[in-house]
């Protein structure tokens, strides 16, 4: 029986998916690192993590049984993907499952800051009645600038327009505008025109420090900044300066350059204590609905890979999504170096073994190739030994149709 280890408490919907296919699940509530993680991974076939567990080259190389990793979150920066590919470990994540939750938080924060709710709440909590319309506005008619127009940015665009906002966006990739949103060709143009700027970029190394002092200085006076993307993107010290001197009207920050490893730990930020600032503990996707969706989605991808060799939406293994049919007795899933002639060598092994190939699919991405072969005849174990000995082989698994 396959063993799955789930760290950092993904939603219980994950266990339900594994239980349906007979995969034994062990849970640990928090993150593990280094030697502790290596010890926990002994004999584990499938690993599920969230954002706090670091899967380094040393950890992956020490985990001989590990076949697949599920990141129950959007990002995979905590995983050494190059090493995972080299070892033939498939990695899956949930790039879209919490999109709605992040978008709703961005909308809520835009309204709260535009109405100056943090200041009103703080005053009343301290016993001061401060009823005034000064500085409070509707979001209707305001310009929202979206930096990063992917799945979150586009859905935010739709909801913002429904509230009567004008939407402009900037993205380094070519993106189709949704509704009446307008693309601007430069980030400087977006910052100068936007009453509210919402950042939704990924965690690639080039985005570290992307929104620094110079960018913040380009923002329209009195504008609001929202960051629900990555903590390394925004220079919080520079942001504090612009908030403290009144150049900006407010900010909502959900992600930080340094975040505690566990709930209850002390946290500090240069932005703490400033009026009209909302600080939240990385909860953009933390709704019951999003976590349930992520749990089921990632677990489904992991079980489909384990049982059928399917890699659709894997972040590091080429995509193959064709299931075996009723005549398949063996499905051979072969991860290998993307080298000319590899396919011919494999098929020579199958031919010498007398294997009757019903279907065969090959996909390659970069240095990695993935081939799935469906066989309706007996498959001698000697053929598998030969396949494993091929110089291009990374990992071979033989899957039975009814497994």
């Amino acid at each position: 029986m396959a063993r799955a280890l789930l760290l950092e408490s993904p939603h219980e919907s994950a266990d339900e998916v594994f239980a349906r296919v007979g995969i034994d699940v062990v849970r640990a509530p928090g993150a593990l690192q280094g030697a502790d993680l290596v010890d926990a991974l002994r004999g584990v076939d499938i690993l599920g993590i969230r954002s706090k567990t670091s899967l380094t080259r040393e950890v992956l190389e020490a985990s001989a049984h590990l076949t697949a990793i599920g990141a129950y979150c959007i990002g995979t920066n905590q995983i050494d993907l190059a090493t995972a590919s080299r070892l033939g470990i498939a990695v899956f994540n949930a790039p879209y499952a919490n999109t709605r939750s992040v978008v709703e938080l961005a909308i809520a924060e835009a309204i709260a800051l535009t109405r100056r709710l943090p200041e009103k709440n703080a005053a009343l909590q301290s016993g001061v009645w401060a009823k005034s319309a000064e500085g409070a506005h509707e979001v209707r008619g305001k310009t929202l600038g979206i930096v990063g127009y992917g799945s979150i940015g586009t859905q935010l665009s739709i909801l913002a327009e429904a509230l009567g906002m004008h939407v402009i966006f900037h993205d380094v990739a070519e993106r189709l505008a949704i509704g009446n949103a307008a693309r601007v060709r430069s980030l400087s143009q977006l910052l100068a025109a936007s009453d509210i700027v919402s950042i939704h970029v990924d965690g690639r190394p080039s985005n570290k420090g992307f929104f620094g002092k110079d960018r913040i200085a380009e923002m329209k006076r009195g504008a609001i900044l929202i960051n629900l993307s990555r903590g390394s993107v925004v220079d919080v010290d520079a942001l504090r300066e612009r908030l403290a001197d009144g150049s900006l009207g407010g900010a909502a920050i959900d992600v930080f350059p340094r975040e505690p490893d566990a709930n209850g730990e002390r946290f500090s930020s240069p932005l703490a204590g400033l009026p009209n600032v909302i600080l939240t503990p990385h909860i953009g996707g933390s709704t019951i609905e999003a976590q349930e969706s992520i749990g089921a989605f990632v677990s489904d991808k992991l079980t489909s890979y384990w049982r059928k060799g399917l890699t659709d939406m894997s972040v590091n293994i080429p995509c193959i999504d064709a299931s075996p049919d009723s005549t398949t007795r063996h499905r051979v899933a072969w991860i290998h170096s993307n080298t000319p002639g590899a396919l011919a060598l494999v098929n020579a092994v199958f031919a010498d073994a007398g294997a009757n190939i019903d279907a065969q699919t090959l996909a390659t991405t970069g240095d990695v190739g993935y081939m799935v072969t469906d066989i309706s005849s007996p498959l001698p174990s000697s053929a598998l030994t030969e396949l494993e000995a091929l110089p291009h082989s990374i990992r071979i698994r033989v899957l039975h149709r009814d497994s």
Side-chain angles (χ1 to χ4, degrees):
M1 177 184 288
R3 291 186 58 208
L5 172 65
L6 303 184
L7 304 178
E8 304 182 70
S9 299
H11 192 272
E12 291 79 4
S13 58
D15 303 66
E16 297 169 7
V17 175
F18 287 122
R20 286 200 295 267
V21 297
I23 294 177
D24 185 38
V25 174
V26 176
R27 276 180 170 263
L32 296 175
Q33 308 293 351
D36 292 336
L37 181 56
V38 170
D39 288 341
L41 283 172
R42 298 190 194 284
V44 168
D45 303 290
I46 298 169
L47 173 63
I49 63 171
R50 295 174 76 177
S51 58
K52 297 298 183 183
T53 301
S54 297
L55 295 177
T56 62
R57 175 178 61 83
E58 292 78 13
V59 169
L60 294 174
E61 289 179 344
S63 306
H65 280 83
L66 192 58
T67 301
I69 299 166
Y72 288 84
C73 51
I74 293 179
T76 55
N77 297 336
Q78 72 277 40
I79 304 169
D80 186 335
L81 292 177
T83 298
S85 299
R86 177 170 57 82
L87 298 175
I89 302 171
V91 178
F92 299 88
N93 67 338
Y96 311 118
N98 68 357
T99 297
R100 178 68 183 207
S101 295
V102 175
V103 167
E104 287 191 5
L105 182 59
I107 290 290
E109 291 177 333
I111 293 172
L113 291 169
T114 304
R115 291 294 301 272
R116 310 196 74 80
L117 296 187
E119 295 170 69
K120 301 298 184 184
N121 174 68
L124 209 55
Q125 292 280 6
S126 65
V128 177
W129 186 266
K131 182 180 178 181
S132 170
E134 184 178 356
H137 299 275
E138 296 178 349
V139 295
R140 179 179 56 174
K142 298 296 183 291
T143 297
L144 171 66
I146 301 175
V147 182
Y149 204 64
S151 58
I152 293 174
T154 52
Q155 191 166 147
L156 175 59
S157 174
I158 294 169
L159 292 190
E161 279 201 2
L163 291 171
M165 301 184 75
H166 303 299
V167 177
I168 59 178
F169 69 91
H170 176 72
D171 200 301
V172 294
E174 288 295 327
R175 303 286 189 183
L176 178 66
I178 303 297
N180 293 316
R183 176 173 186 160
V184 294
R185 290 297 169 181
S186 74
L187 183 56
S188 296
Q189 182 182 352
L190 180 143
L191 297 177
S194 299
D195 300 297
I196 301 168
V197 175
S198 193
I199 303 174
H200 302 282
V201 299
D202 60 28
R204 70 186 68 181
S206 60
N207 282 335
K208 185 175 181 179
F210 157 70
F211 219 82
K213 182 176 182 179
D214 292 342
R215 289 298 184 195
I216 294 172
E218 291 185 86
M219 291 179 63
K220 185 177 180 180
R221 185 169 184 82
I224 288 166
L225 178 65
I226 299 173
N227 183 24
L228 300 173
S229 61
R230 298 291 189 274
S232 61
V233 169
V234 173
D235 182 337
V236 292
D237 292 308
L239 177 59
R240 178 186 170 82
E241 290 181 17
R242 300 290 288 179
L243 288 165
D245 68 15
S247 299
L248 297 183
I253 305 296
D254 184 55
V255 288
F256 303 88
R258 291 177 298 279
E259 298 181 359
D261 291 328
N263 286 337
E265 291 187 10
R266 295 292 301 171
F267 170 76
S268 63
S269 170
L271 302 175
L274 291 176
N276 215 33
V277 170
I278 300 173
L279 303 181
T280 49
H282 206 149
I283 58 169
S286 295
T287 62
I288 297 300
E289 292 85 356
Q291 294 307 305
E292 181 177 6
S293 177
I294 290 171
F297 181 87
V298 175
S299 297
D300 180 68
K301 294 301 177 186
L302 290 169
T303 55
S304 293
Y305 177 67
W306 178 258
R307 297 173 65 240
K308 300 179 180 180
L310 306 185
T311 52
D312 54 309
M313 296 194 71
S314 170
V315 299
N316 68 323
I317 301 298
C319 176
I320 290 181
D321 60 3
S323 295
D325 62 27
S326 59
T327 65
T328 301
R329 294 181 61 176
H330 304 285
R331 166 165 277 207
V332 180
W334 184 50
I335 302 174
H336 59 281
S337 300
N338 183 14
T339 306
L343 179 60
L345 292 175
V346 170
N347 283 337
V349 172
F350 285 140
D352 291 343
N356 184 30
I357 296 176
D358 286 348
Q360 192 171 62
T361 306
L362 171 66
T364 59
T365 301
D367 296 331
V368 179
Y370 183 49
M371 186 180 76
V372 171
T373 305
D374 292 335
I375 297 173
S376 60
S377 62
L379 183 64
S381 59
S382 58
L384 299 178
T385 302
E386 289 186 49
L387 289 174
E388 290 175 344
L390 291 176
H392 312 299
S393 288
I394 295 175
R395 184 184 292 260
I396 292 177
R397 294 194 304 134
V398 180
L399 314 173
H400 295 271
R401 181 179 59 83
D402 57 355
S403 63

